[in-house]
Amino acid sequence: MKITILILIMMMFLPVLQAENGHNLWLGGVCTGPITIECSKSSTTIDLAKHELHKYWQGKENATISLQIKADLLIKGDGYKLTADGIQANTDLGILYGVYSLLRRQQTEENIKEEIVNPSYELRILDHWDNLNGSVERGYAGRSIFWHGGKDSLNISEQDKKLWQEYARADASIGINGTVLNNVNTSPLILTPNYLKKVEVIAKVLRPYGVKIYLSVNFASPSLIGGLKTADPLNPEVKKWWQDKAREIYHLIPDFGGFLVKANSEGQPGPQNFGRTHADGANMMADALKPYGGIVMWRAFVYNPSDEDRAKQAYSEFMPLDGQFRDNVIIQVKNGPIDFQPREPFSPLFGAMKKTSVMPELQVTQEYLGQSVHLVFLASMWEEFLKSDTYQAGHMSTVARCTDGSIYPQAHTAIAGVANTGRDTNWCGHPFAQANWYAFGRLAWNNRLTSAQIADEWLKLTFKPTISGDSTKQQKNQTEWDVKFLEPVKQMMLESREAAVNYMMPLGLHHIFSANDHYGPGPWWAPKGIRKDWTPPYYHQADTAGIGFDRTQTGSNAIKQYHEPLCSLFSNVKTCPEIYLLWFHHLPWDYKMKSGHNLWEEMCYHYEEGLQQVRKFQETWDRVKPYVDQEQFIIVQSKLRQQCLNAQVWKDACLLYFQQYSRMPIPYDIERPVHNLKDMIAKDMKSQHR
Ligand code: GCV
């Protein structure tokens, strides 16, 4: 009750505190008139739903809306039935999701017809890579919203609570129902009593919005903080330690969601340290959580510095374990086989395991896509991924259908996104990065949505002004806004991912970043002594004979991990989609492309196109100045300038570096590089020793 009152009081002040600084995200609607709500039930969540309706209603004035909790076999889980004047659901949360959906449809002027709306995934989770010291791994929007460093580590201020409440509201508005509060490279301290007390408070604030708490846990916790000599998952004392820990957690947080585990990966401990398998480790934890309904999300992001192609390793390690995991274990698999690159084919683990629950892990934070500087709308990439056909059970076995339970039943269905939030006023660093948070939530709810639809919604919710005046004038202004703002900006968003691929890594190139900050180009980057699979030359394999990673039978044979007909399609250079060409093939520089250009020329044209696309984005943005808040306009304008400079560097670095091997001229109809390769390499090497 106290929490509800606190939340309602805090919400009353929201509009006063938040000017046009982006803090309001996509939730800045205004109410157009009073309504009456009929609802026989009251609960914290239902009260929030009513409050949202009263405050943001944009339908008919004086309408009567009914909110009804009533079982209906066609309504599943968090789903709801929507009509223009009512919402029916199985649960209070279903009502809240229905309310957000109704308000969104009003604001975006979508036709509201009777419809049952069920989520694609049961669990729709944001993974925060937030460290307990307040930093955020691969975070580009300020410090952690959950953790402070130093002596303030465990402090909780009213400001913190307000931020968590706003965060939960934003999540709920797009259907996100879970959050992992800490980094997968995790400190064992998260499971100590003081930290768990703080987690309890966060859980209380997030609970009314249906956002469940999960924690990343360190597999070695029993020995690191529990005083045991081992963390061997088959050791009885270790099992008991996890069981006791689960009891302690559920005593504080009865609806705790479960654990996320990065084990035997990039230095994190895991069951293999004790000669056990991933299944042994995951099952031991799953057994500890089972009595309380908790789950284990066990990551398949594993690779060793061996001679085996890194792209093959997750599949090689996990496929033999199919069928050995408990039903409350979900294997969390990154969308591509390497690591959130600008473009990868889907990981062959999707559509492979038939007796294990598998969930996609997407990266909302733009680690490899220009961080908080580049405007890159990721929904296009996720749409491409979710629509990829795995052929698990014949044609149309898309990744979406393989993971949402449509093909093989899964005990749990889930999807996760690595969050891009921080304490920056606008949450995400770049104003357009908010669209990626929004898109993740919307796709987690409905994995069939198109990126165009999501961009359209987000732009209307975020930028559409309230248009007043008589109805003819209103119509005119509305049309003008659609033509002059909505359409060009949407077009820019929809092209932005392909532009990034073009100026960074076209034609299937991947992981050619400089050093570990994953921002600028570094096809040359290979310091002595570093593991080979952390260096770009391992991935691009450029030499005077050609470029690309041979993953066919003559190379690493990674193509074998895909079902037919994909395996043959990727394997044959003539049928391999050109977007994946250098992912699967090492080809001579003069290889003839479909366009008639040779491979070298084609690569040059892609880099040039990427740069020109960003130039065009600059122009698009400059033209929409009259329709955007000035503060937001200037921020985006200046970031686009930086993006353009970066695209130029990417183009020059890659073309001049690879030209040493192709030994062919850069086609004369494209702009000449403006940087010198030697200077770029020297600058890059220097910045790595700062
Ligand atoms: C959290 C990549 C990133 C790491 C990240 C890791 C992972 O390697 O660069 O920062 O660690 O993926 O997903 O575990």
Side-chain angles (χ1 to χ4, degrees):
M1 186 62 190
K2 259 198 207 148
I3 292 267
T4 318
I5 293 170
L6 182 74
I7 288 169
L8 293 179
I9 292 175
M10 289 188 314
M11 290 177 80
M12 283 164 58
F13 290 101
L14 285 179
V16 184
L17 298 176
Q18 294 157 14
E20 296 289 313
N21 57 12
H23 193 74
N24 249 348
L25 296 160
W26 48 86
L27 289 161
V30 286
C31 177
T32 52
I35 52 166
T36 307
I37 299 174
E38 286 176 350
C39 178
S40 55
K41 193 170 173 200
S42 175
S43 73
T44 323
T45 300
I46 293 283
D47 293 348
L48 285 173
K50 290 182 193 164
H51 176 83
E52 295 282 353
L53 272 180
H54 280 303
K55 194 144 184 233
Y56 298 102
W57 178 259
Q58 289 196 7
K60 273 196 234 125
E61 248 180 75
N62 299 314
T64 300
I65 309 301
S66 107
L67 304 180
Q68 207 186 9
I69 309 271
K70 194 170 134 211
D72 181 327
L73 282 178
L74 295 175
I75 304 176
K76 313 270 183 228
D78 289 332
Y80 50 86
K81 182 170 172 182
L82 193 70
T83 59
D85 53 10
I87 293 155
Q88 180 191 335
N90 293 325
T91 62
D92 296 8
L93 274 172
I95 296 287
L96 185 64
Y97 294 130
V99 163
Y100 284 124
S101 158
L102 182 63
L103 295 176
R104 183 188 69 242
R105 287 161 200 246
Q106 288 178 343
Q107 286 178 40
T108 56
E109 285 167 2
E110 203 181 301
N111 193 16
I112 301 169
K113 51 183 184 346
E114 183 169 318
E115 196 183 337
I116 290 185
V117 187
N118 290 319
S120 300
Y121 298 98
E122 174 201 349
L123 309 172
R124 307 169 296 275
I125 300 176
L126 274 181
D127 291 356
H128 291 265
W129 285 357
D130 293 20
N131 298 310
L132 302 187
N133 67 7
S135 62
V136 180
E137 181 153 352
R138 310 303 179 185
Y140 313 103
R143 290 177 65 77
S144 166
I145 59 171
F146 298 116
W147 310 106
H148 304 287
K151 58 180 177 10
D152 286 342
S153 261
L154 295 163
N155 288 357
I156 298 173
S157 66
E158 284 313 305
Q159 186 58 27
D160 287 332
K161 286 192 191 163
K162 176 172 173 290
L163 202 63
W164 299 339
Q165 177 267 323
E166 291 168 346
Y167 163 80
R169 175 171 176 251
D171 278 349
S173 75
I174 47 177
I176 290 171
N177 67 353
T179 181
V180 181
L181 296 182
N182 60 321
N183 190 0
V184 285
N185 291 329
T186 182
S187 159
L189 289 181
I190 189 69
L191 291 180
T192 55
N194 286 344
Y195 278 98
L196 288 178
K197 279 210 186 84
K198 178 159 179 179
V199 174
E200 181 191 9
V201 180
I202 300 174
K204 261 191 197 150
V205 178
L206 271 49
R207 185 168 294 121
Y209 289 94
V211 182
K212 264 194 189 182
I213 301 286
Y214 299 77
L215 293 176
S216 294
V217 295
N218 187 307
F219 194 80
S221 299
S223 52
L224 294 174
I225 55 166
L228 301 188
K229 288 207 178 70
T230 177
D232 180 349
L234 300 193
N235 178 297
E237 281 184 87
V238 170
K239 286 188 190 177
K240 182 167 180 318
W241 189 88
W242 284 105
Q243 284 158 8
D244 292 346
K245 192 49 78 181
R247 188 179 323 109
E248 181 187 343
I249 296 174
Y250 278 93
H251 178 71
L252 298 170
I253 309 159
D255 55 356
F256 180 67
F259 296 148
L260 171 63
V261 193
K262 173 174 178 176
N264 293 118
S265 162
E266 299 187 332
Q268 294 299 305
Q272 292 173 346
N273 298 24
F274 309 95
R276 313 296 182 194
T277 67
H278 285 291
D280 294 329
N283 291 343
M284 179 273 298
M285 286 187 177
D287 289 344
L289 296 170
K290 182 81 177 174
Y292 313 95
I295 59 154
V296 173
M297 293 174 284
W298 192 270
R299 297 178 89 225
F301 179 65
V302 292
Y303 61 100
N304 292 309
S306 65
D307 280 343
E308 197 188 26
D309 174 5
R310 174 170 164 188
K312 287 170 68 180
Q313 297 185 27
Y315 183 101
S316 309
E317 275 198 49
F318 277 84
M319 264 314 277
L321 301 175
D322 191 19
Q324 294 184 28
F325 292 97
R326 300 281 191 266
D327 66 359
N328 58 335
V329 174
I330 313 183
I331 304 303
Q332 181 167 305
V333 183
K334 289 189 182 183
N335 57 289
I338 302 268
D339 192 7
F340 298 139
Q341 295 302 293
R343 172 167 276 132
E344 298 186 47
F346 68 89
S347 161
L349 269 172
F350 295 107
M353 298 179 114
K354 295 181 176 166
K355 294 178 239 148
T356 307
S357 300
V358 173
M359 64 187 282
E361 179 179 350
L362 308 175
Q363 195 179 42
V364 188
T365 189
Q366 292 168 234
E367 173 180 356
Y368 293 102
L369 281 132
Q371 302 175 5
S372 57
V373 179
H374 295 199
L375 189 161
V376 183
F377 182 50
L378 300 176
S380 321
M381 169 155 86
W382 301 332
E383 181 185 359
E384 177 178 297
F385 160 69
L386 289 163
K387 284 189 175 155
S388 299
D389 199 341
T390 70
Y391 290 89
Q392 181 183 37
H395 180 42
M396 283 313 288
S397 303
T398 59
V399 171
R401 297 186 67 237
C402 288
T403 52
D404 68 10
S406 306
I407 297 187
Y408 288 96
Q410 298 202 158
H412 295 282
T413 60
I415 187 165
V418 180
N420 63 351
T421 52
R423 278 183 185 261
D424 278 5
T425 310
N426 74 0
W427 299 90
C428 303
H430 196 305
F432 276 75
Q434 295 181 353
N436 292 331
W437 180 5
Y438 182 84
F440 170 73
R442 295 288 291 126
L443 280 170
W445 183 278
N446 180 355
N447 61 13
R448 266 71 163 178
L449 282 180
T450 64
S451 41
Q453 201 173 328
I454 299 171
D456 190 88
E457 279 177 15
W458 180 78
L459 284 167
K460 286 177 178 162
L461 296 172
T462 306
F463 290 104
K464 194 168 170 196
T466 321
I467 295 168
S468 51
D470 65 58
S471 61
T472 333
K473 203 165 153 219
Q474 252 182 27
Q475 188 55 46
K476 196 169 153 269
N477 289 345
Q478 164 82 42
T479 312
E480 181 186 314
W481 187 83
D482 285 355
V483 173
K484 298 222 166 125
F485 180 85
L486 179 65
E487 290 311 323
V489 178
K490 195 189 328 178
Q491 192 53 36
M492 168 174 80
M493 288 174 76
L494 294 176
E495 261 181 48
S496 60
R497 185 274 185 137
E498 203 58 47
V501 170
N502 281 332
Y503 64 73
M504 286 184 178
M505 293 170 216
L507 299 171
L509 284 174
H510 49 287
H511 227 314
I512 55 172
F513 294 93
S514 149
N516 189 35
D517 65 1
H518 299 161
Y519 185 76
W524 50 78
W525 193 78
K528 275 207 187 81
I530 199 167
R531 17 186 308 188
K532 269 204 320 211
D533 58 353
W534 281 351
T535 69
Y538 171 90
Y539 296 100
H540 63 63
Q541 308 259 324
D543 53 25
T544 49
I547 182 169
F549 200 122
D550 183 2
R551 295 194 163 103
T552 67
Q553 296 87 331
T554 53
S556 78
N557 211 14
I559 44 118
K560 261 278 166 258
Q561 296 180 338
Y562 290 93
H563 292 290
E564 284 297 359
L566 278 188
C567 171
S568 302
L569 184 105
F570 289 153
S571 178
N572 180 345
V573 68
K574 294 278 167 242
T575 53
C576 179
E578 288 191 345
I579 52 172
Y580 301 135
L581 204 57
L582 303 178
W583 183 281
F584 289 113
H585 297 272
H586 186 83
L587 294 172
W589 293 104
D590 61 0
Y591 174 78
K592 191 89 166 199
M593 303 290 291
K594 293 196 179 102
S595 63
H597 300 131
N598 67 36
L599 174 58
W600 163 249
E601 291 161 346
E602 187 81 1
M603 190 187 279
C604 294
Y605 285 120
H606 273 282
Y607 277 104
E608 174 67 6
E609 188 183 352
L611 172 60
Q612 295 309 329
Q613 281 171 299
V614 184
R615 292 245 165 91
K616 188 91 183 72
F617 298 163
Q618 288 186 285
E619 185 195 321
T620 300
W621 190 249
D622 281 357
R623 281 183 195 273
V624 300
K625 187 169 186 222
Y627 306 95
V628 191
D629 168 78
Q630 285 316 284
E631 194 183 326
Q632 298 302 302
F633 175 79
I634 288 168
I635 294 173
V636 175
Q637 187 186 50
S638 118
K639 283 183 186 281
L640 279 170
R641 283 185 190 137
Q642 188 58 43
Q643 182 172 356
C644 198
L645 285 170
N646 292 161
Q648 177 85 57
V649 170
W650 268 98
K651 172 189 147 187
D652 292 0
C654 294
L655 293 191
L656 293 174
Y657 174 79
F658 291 130
Q659 192 180 30
Q660 302 178 112
Y661 300 109
S662 80
R663 297 169 177 172
M664 289 190 230
I666 293 171
Y668 297 106
D669 54 350
I670 69 175
E671 286 178 7
R672 309 288 90 194
V674 295
H675 299 91
N676 287 316
L677 182 62
K678 242 169 78 192
D679 299 343
M680 284 188 290
I681 297 180
K683 193 168 162 210
D684 179 44
M685 291 306 180
K686 209 161 135 206
S687 69
Q688 284 148 39
H689 295 107
R690 59 182 165 249

